[in-house]
Amino acid sequence: MDNMSITNTPTSNDACLSIVHSLMCHRQGGESETFAKRAIESLVKKLKEKKDELDSLITAITTNGAHPSKCVTIQRTLDGRLQVAGRKGFPHVIYARLWRWPDLHKNELKHVKYCQYAFDLKCDSVCVNPYHYERVVSPGIDLSGLTLQNTGSMLVKDEYVHDFEGQPSLSSEGHSIQTIQHPPSNRASTETYSTPALLAPSESNASSNANFPNIPVASTTPEYWCSIAYFEMDVQVGETFKVPSSCPIVTVDGYVDPSGGDRFCLGQLSNVHRTEAIERARLHIGKGVQLECKGEGDVWVRCLSDHAVFVQSYYLDREAGRAPGDAVHKIYPSAYIKVFDLRQCHRQMQQQAATAQAAAAAQAAAVAGNIPGPGSVGGIAPAISLSAAAGIGVDDLRRLCILRMSFVKGWGPDYPRQSIKETPCWIEIHLHRALQLLDEVLHTMPIADPQPLD
């Protein structure tokens, strides 16, 4: 960088507008200009009172990391994610995408040794200096959901495409993408279905469980590890299929064997309201999917069908840096991927239950005018802002313990169908150990005084 450029570089004493303008010039173009500007403005305002850190950020970005820089920190949120322009994501990932790697996946970041507030260190503050992180592929990470050749989080239109050589184009905004692709690893097609194509269970458990506290020992062992309900559009067809704990691997396919056990055959189920479109889609289920319960309750999926399946998974949402329920995951034929982590689920349900409980108490106090606080008017403003958190109920927490999966057809903003209930054939999987843990969490919560009904 020449001397003139360095001379024109702003400092923390300059106006926010000048600093934002300078930092915008260094963005990589993976996000829309609107999103990038909002993200940078938000960060600069947070750092305005920490001039040394703001100067470190300016130095790091304007010199492309050529000069050493200190940690640039913001407060860690309850769930670890930052909301910018209506989107939630991990802060260090957001800014690393903005200024270094536009196609970055969360699992590809590793902090440098001298970073004192790296995201993975779980401090109260999080370092978002993009030059305090390196892009790596760690052997301790499940790579089944990653596509490193600039294809992460792509918009997918064609539900019948078998290959994924051609890369779909990004949406015009570049950030409102909902369908995330999970192609198979290179080894998946050459290995037998009984052999995991990625990590051994011990490796995967060690990597995923490192950040979560131990879950309580089960007081009773569930007789069944999951229940699977089959739907056509918004109507359940047939009885719910319960999978015994003695069968850790179950196949859901389009064939007709009625004997049960470790196979749920959807082809045998009749529905008087079945349309031609549903019948056509059912023909493509074929070998379907294999669900595997590992350890005490982690779940992996292998797509055995010739067509992709589309999954709603809060675990995959979190791994992709998206808000829960904010993405649909397209799992390609032969892909083998983890879709549920019991420890992460347990931690989330504990956090959400605690948040709801605290918010309800604060809301009640705010309505009574007891805690006006900064920015409120007679205690009313806090009540409004807390209402969403206080409204978290059993159904919201129960969703953490459920997986949904559509065969052949996708849904969401990228497709004509906005909800999974508009897809022709799909399943809902209730995970019993997770529900057992949720029951224990709910029992530890004090019940609020009943309110009179209107």
Side-chain angles (χ1 to χ4, degrees):
M1 182 172 284
D2 59 48
N3 291 333
M4 185 173 289
S5 299
I6 293 172
T7 304
N8 293 336
T9 300
T11 70
S12 58
N13 293 319
D14 287 303
C16 284
L17 195 64
S18 303
I19 299 171
V20 170
H21 177 75
S22 175
L23 296 177
M24 280 285 287
C25 294
H26 294 269
R27 67 190 182 95
Q28 295 299 305
E31 300 283 5
S32 70
E33 184 173 354
T34 304
F35 179 84
K37 190 173 182 183
R38 291 277 290 277
I40 295 172
E41 281 175 347
S42 169
L43 181 56
V44 170
K45 286 175 183 175
K46 286 185 174 82
L47 298 174
K48 204 57 178 147
E49 300 304 314
K50 298 189 283 187
K51 291 186 181 297
D52 57 334
E53 292 189 23
L54 183 51
D55 281 325
S56 286
L57 176 70
I58 294 168
T59 299
I61 302 306
T62 57
T63 65
N64 296 322
H67 294 273
S69 53
K70 299 177 184 176
C71 284
V72 176
T73 62
I74 60 174
Q75 188 72 26
R76 180 185 290 272
T77 59
L78 183 67
D79 67 356
R81 291 172 302 159
L82 178 70
Q83 182 157 325
V84 177
R87 282 173 52 196
K88 271 195 167 187
F90 294 103
H92 62 313
V93 177
I94 289 174
Y95 293 107
R97 280 181 187 147
L98 269 182
W99 284 310
R100 296 193 72 182
W101 307 288
D103 59 338
L104 178 72
H105 186 282
K106 177 187 86 89
N107 282 344
E108 296 173 53
L109 280 185
K110 181 181 179 182
H111 64 271
V112 295
K113 289 181 180 178
Y114 52 82
C115 182
Q116 296 178 309
Y117 297 96
F119 181 83
D120 292 334
L121 298 180
K122 307 293 182 187
C123 302
D124 290 339
S125 297
V126 180
C127 178
V128 294
N129 185 337
Y131 292 94
H132 276 203
Y133 295 89
E134 297 170 345
R135 188 175 189 178
V136 295
V137 177
S138 165
I141 288 174
D142 164 23
L143 302 180
S144 59
L146 305 189
T147 319
L148 302 182
Q149 292 77 32
N150 196 28
T151 60
S153 303
M154 289 295 176
L155 184 70
V156 183
K157 289 288 185 187
D158 187 352
E159 297 153 271
Y160 289 96
V161 173
H162 291 205
D163 65 282
F164 29 86
E165 299 298 325
Q167 298 174 8
S169 59
L170 284 166
S171 65
S172 56
E173 285 297 306
H175 68 272
S176 59
I177 297 163
Q178 302 289 318
T179 306
I180 298 174
Q181 298 182 80
H182 298 273
S185 69
N186 292 333
R187 294 189 293 160
S189 59
T190 61
E191 299 200 15
T192 60
Y193 292 132
S194 59
T195 306
L198 296 156
L199 303 175
S202 59
E203 292 174 314
S204 63
N205 288 345
S207 63
S208 64
N209 294 341
N211 298 328
F212 300 111
N214 290 331
I215 55 177
V217 176
S219 52
T220 57
T221 304
E223 185 180 355
Y224 304 97
W225 72 266
C226 77
S227 301
I228 307 172
Y230 169 64
F231 294 83
E232 292 177 0
M233 308 293 278
D234 60 351
V235 176
Q236 182 173 347
V237 178
E239 299 292 323
T240 299
F241 184 88
K242 292 184 177 180
V243 184
S245 295
S246 58
C247 295
I249 298 178
V250 62
T251 302
V252 183
D253 59 37
Y255 303 126
V256 294
D257 187 343
S259 57
D262 63 351
R263 270 183 75 194
F264 183 20
C265 295
L266 307 179
Q268 60 166 325
L269 303 176
S270 59
N271 176 12
V272 294
H273 303 293
R274 186 171 292 152
T275 63
E276 256 186 73
I278 294 174
E279 192 60 71
R280 281 197 306 272
R282 278 168 54 85
L283 293 173
H284 292 288
I285 295 174
K287 294 179 181 178
V289 295
Q290 201 175 64
L291 305 172
E292 182 176 359
C293 180
K294 288 188 178 183
E296 197 176 348
D298 293 355
V299 180
W300 291 61
V301 167
R302 190 190 298 278
C303 180
L304 306 180
S305 173
D306 290 335
H307 296 277
V309 293
F310 297 81
V311 177
Q312 184 181 70
S313 157
Y314 285 2
Y315 168 76
L316 288 178
D317 292 343
R318 187 180 177 90
E319 291 300 290
R322 307 303 290 257
D326 190 39
V328 178
H329 300 268
K330 183 174 183 178
I331 300 182
Y332 284 89
S334 300
Y336 177 68
I337 183 170
K338 185 177 182 178
V339 293
F340 181 81
D341 185 290
L342 185 67
R343 287 170 186 265
Q344 186 188 87
C345 177
H346 184 232
R347 187 184 182 192
Q348 271 186 294
M349 61 177 71
Q350 286 179 315
Q351 286 180 335
Q352 286 194 24
T355 301
Q357 187 180 330
Q363 185 184 32
V367 169
N370 295 338
I371 52 164
S376 69
V377 182
I380 300 300
I384 295 169
S385 62
L386 290 167
S387 61
I392 296 173
V394 175
D395 283 344
D396 299 289
L397 293 166
R398 200 167 59 89
R399 287 190 193 100
L400 297 172
C401 312
I402 294 172
L403 295 167
R404 286 176 161 185
M405 185 180 305
S406 168
F407 294 96
V408 186
K409 298 286 186 178
W411 79 94
D414 304 340
Y415 297 98
R417 298 159 294 278
Q418 295 308 299
S419 159
I420 194 170
K421 292 183 179 181
E422 296 172 35
T423 63
C425 39
W426 57 282
I427 55 175
E428 185 171 88
I429 304 148
H430 290 241
L431 303 170
H432 290 200
R433 179 63 181 125
L435 288 165
Q436 189 182 44
L437 287 171
L438 174 58
D439 188 66
E440 292 173 15
V441 169
L442 292 172
H443 271 91
T444 63
M445 290 177 64
I447 299 172
D449 294 333
Q451 300 296 316
L453 296 174
D454 293 332

